């Protein structure tokens, strides 16, 4: 297997890295959409993060990466049957998956479909799991999400939100767990996502090719070093990656304990009202992202500082176009924060 470039060796791109850490800490945030130029390390960051996470315990021979320690209702049908028959499940270790969803992938391949071979040769109706099954408990990466057909993006977002894939067709009736962090990349110049779809991604970030000389040199030097000897490079960054691993694990453990004081919630709602975001998803994401950030930093409650830092990725893709204001969405969020918090 090819080694992933270490997450901790990624230079700059702070907002993207933070957004991915936040989405990995609290999966209910609903994934990250990354806008930016080609070659800015969008998929590198996901692969790097997945590689530093501890191996998962999975049920052996399960097509859905079922967690042997999960409650019965969270298991797939096969595992439930096996557990009932054998009393316990055989366990193996597996790396956290990063599944690529290629452009042009059919709905069958993504969601799963009737296994035609079994149907034709043995007359059995067997479900052939799709990419969603493989992504369970890991990451699903969609390159150029803006070029994907709307109905497919819609289906993906549904599964990402519910954590379950339900297939009812061709005489099949299958449901299986599919919890993953959805990461979509988009190139702002090639087609836009419908606002309804945009709104369903938890966070959005913008990445650009670094413009200062020193950063560029550092990026090139590290990349060159990695490609010359991946093993040695990964070894060299192991300690720093380990630190991030412990940070995420601890944050997940403490997430539920982080307090959200009324005064901070009020600030979050005021900010969303000021920006005129539709519905309440903006506030909800803002609070959840702030809570995950606080957990990552070992803070016991969220305050203005957390809100300020996560507001741009939580809100910039939820703003309606304002004909009287042609400033970009990032500028509008930053301006609102400045007016509200820095007095
Ligand atoms: Zn299973």
């Amino acid at each position: 297997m090819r080694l992933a470039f270490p997450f901790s060796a990624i230079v700059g791109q702070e907002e993207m890295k933070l957004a991915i850490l936040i989405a990995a800490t609290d999966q209910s945030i609903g994934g990250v959409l990354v806008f930016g130029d080609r070659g800015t390390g969008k998929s590198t960051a996901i692969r790097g993060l997945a590689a530093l996470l501890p191996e998962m315990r999975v049920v052996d021979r399960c097509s859905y990466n079922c967690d042997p320690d999960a409650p019965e209702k969270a298991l797939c049908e096969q595992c439930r049957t096996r557990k009932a028959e054998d009393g316990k499940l055989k366990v193996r270790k597996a790396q956290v998956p990063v599944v690529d969803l290629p452009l042009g992938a059919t709905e069958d391949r993504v969601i799963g479909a009737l296994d035609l071979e079994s149907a034709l040769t043995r007359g059995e109706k067997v479900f052939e799991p799709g990419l969603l099954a493989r992504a369970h408990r890991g990451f699903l990466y969609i390159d150029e999400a803006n070029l994907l057909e709307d109905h497919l993006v819609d289906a993906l977002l549904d599964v990402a939100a519910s954590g379950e894939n339900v297939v009812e067709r061709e005489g099949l009736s299958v449901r299986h767990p599919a919890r993953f962090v959805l990461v979509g990349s988009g190139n702002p110049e090639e087609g836009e996502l419908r606002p309804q779809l945009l709104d369903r991604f938890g966070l959005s970030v913008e990445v650009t090719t670094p413009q200062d000389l020193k950063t560029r040199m550092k990026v090139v030097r590290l990349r060159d070093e990695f490609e010359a000897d991946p093993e040695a490079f990964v070894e060299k960054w192991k300690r720093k990656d380990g630190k991030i691993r412990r940070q995420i694990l601890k944050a997940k453990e403490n997430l539920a304990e982080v307090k959200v004081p009324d005064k901070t919630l009020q600030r979050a709602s005021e900010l969303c009202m000021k920006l005129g975001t539709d519905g309440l998803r903006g506030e909800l994401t803002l609070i959840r992202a702030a809570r995950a950030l606080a957990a990552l930093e070992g803070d016991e409650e969220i305050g203005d500082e957390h809100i300020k830092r996560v507001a741009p990725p939580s809100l910039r893709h939820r703003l309606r176009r304002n004909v009287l204001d042609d400033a970009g969405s990032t500028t509008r969020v930053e301006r609102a924060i400045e007016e509200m918090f820095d007095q």
Side-chain angles (χ1 to χ4, degrees):
M1 217 184 87
R2 263 181 63 199
L3 283 170
F5 187 85
F7 188 80
S8 56
I10 298 171
V11 180
Q13 314 294 17
E14 298 305 330
E15 196 188 39
M16 173 176 68
K17 286 189 282 186
L18 185 63
I20 294 170
L21 286 179
I22 287 173
T25 301
D26 183 354
Q27 292 203 2
S28 74
I29 284 170
V32 186
L33 192 57
V34 187
F35 280 110
D37 313 331
R38 263 175 238 282
T40 35
K42 287 172 279 195
S43 83
T44 306
I46 313 302
R47 275 165 237 286
L49 185 68
L52 71 75
L53 293 172
E55 287 192 321
M56 329 182 284
R57 279 162 49 82
V58 300
V59 176
D60 196 28
R61 291 184 298 133
C62 166
S63 324
Y64 307 99
N65 301 334
C66 276
D67 177 359
D69 307 313
E72 186 124 339
K73 64 176 177 10
L75 295 173
C76 74
E77 223 176 279
Q78 288 170 337
C79 286
R80 242 178 287 167
T81 313
R82 258 186 244 153
K83 198 172 179 178
E85 283 170 2
D86 307 340
K88 64 177 172 75
L89 297 163
K90 220 176 134 205
V91 177
R92 66 182 173 87
K93 290 268 183 102
Q95 259 205 332
V96 173
V98 179
V99 173
D100 278 295
L101 195 145
L103 269 183
T106 60
E107 196 164 333
D108 282 2
R109 179 142 176 246
V110 176
I111 287 160
L114 184 69
D115 177 357
L116 276 180
E117 204 185 300
S118 311
L120 293 175
T121 56
R122 292 190 295 277
E124 289 172 9
K125 276 191 176 164
V126 180
F127 178 64
E128 167 87 30
L131 297 174
L132 293 182
R134 280 181 41 211
H136 181 46
R137 301 169 69 197
F139 296 83
L140 186 70
Y141 181 70
I142 319 172
D143 199 16
E144 316 223 25
N146 44 336
L147 298 182
L148 213 62
E149 287 172 64
D150 276 354
H151 71 101
L152 209 49
V153 183
D154 219 11
L156 278 172
L157 287 162
D158 273 337
V159 176
S162 68
E164 194 177 44
N165 183 27
V166 182
V167 185
E168 303 269 1
R169 54 177 186 162
E170 295 164 324
L172 288 166
S173 174
V174 179
R175 52 176 63 220
H176 67 80
R179 293 186 183 284
F180 47 82
V181 177
L182 190 63
V183 182
S185 87
N187 189 327
E189 281 143 38
E190 294 167 12
E192 277 184 48
L193 278 167
R194 280 190 289 128
Q196 300 93 299
L197 295 180
L198 261 183
D199 178 60
R200 296 181 57 188
F201 274 93
L203 308 171
S204 80
V205 296
E206 289 162 2
V207 290
T208 49
T209 310
Q211 292 307 321
D212 75 287
L213 189 64
K214 268 199 177 143
T215 310
R216 286 179 90 113
M217 286 166 60
K218 201 169 163 193
V219 172
V220 174
R221 195 176 287 289
L222 290 173
R223 192 78 221 182
D224 183 46
E225 201 186 316
F226 170 72
E227 279 168 19
D229 187 348
E231 279 88 14
F233 190 82
V234 167
E235 185 62 33
K236 195 169 145 188
W237 289 84
K238 216 166 115 186
R239 263 191 49 218
K240 283 197 169 149
D241 263 8
K243 217 173 135 190
I244 298 171
R245 170 171 55 237
R246 289 189 294 279
Q247 189 188 7
I248 297 174
L249 295 179
K250 207 156 167 228
K252 281 186 156 187
E253 224 178 273
N254 297 339
L255 189 63
E257 312 297 323
V258 177
K259 292 184 191 67
V260 180
D262 267 348
K263 64 173 196 304
T264 312
L265 179 56
Q266 188 183 329
R267 297 289 256 174
S269 294
E270 279 168 3
L271 182 62
C272 291
M273 280 169 76
K274 197 176 169 74
L275 284 163
T277 54
D278 285 327
L280 295 172
R281 205 185 286 274
E283 270 110 309
L284 198 59
T285 308
L286 187 54
I287 288 295
R288 285 183 179 162
R291 184 164 54 199
L293 174 63
L296 282 163
E297 303 202 323
D299 297 326
E300 284 169 12
E301 61 172 49
I302 67 168
D304 286 359
E305 276 313 305
H306 302 111
I307 296 284
K308 275 161 72 174
R309 280 172 59 198
V310 299
S314 307
L315 302 177
R316 65 158 68 88
H317 54 301
R318 300 174 204 278
L319 306 190
R320 266 174 294 175
R321 268 209 191 110
N322 183 344
V323 282
L324 300 172
D325 189 350
D326 58 0
S329 46
T330 304
T331 313
R332 282 166 65 193
V333 177
E334 281 168 355
R335 213 165 47 198
I337 292 171
E338 212 170 284
E339 284 167 18
M340 265 188 62
F341 291 96
D342 300 334
Q343 287 154 6

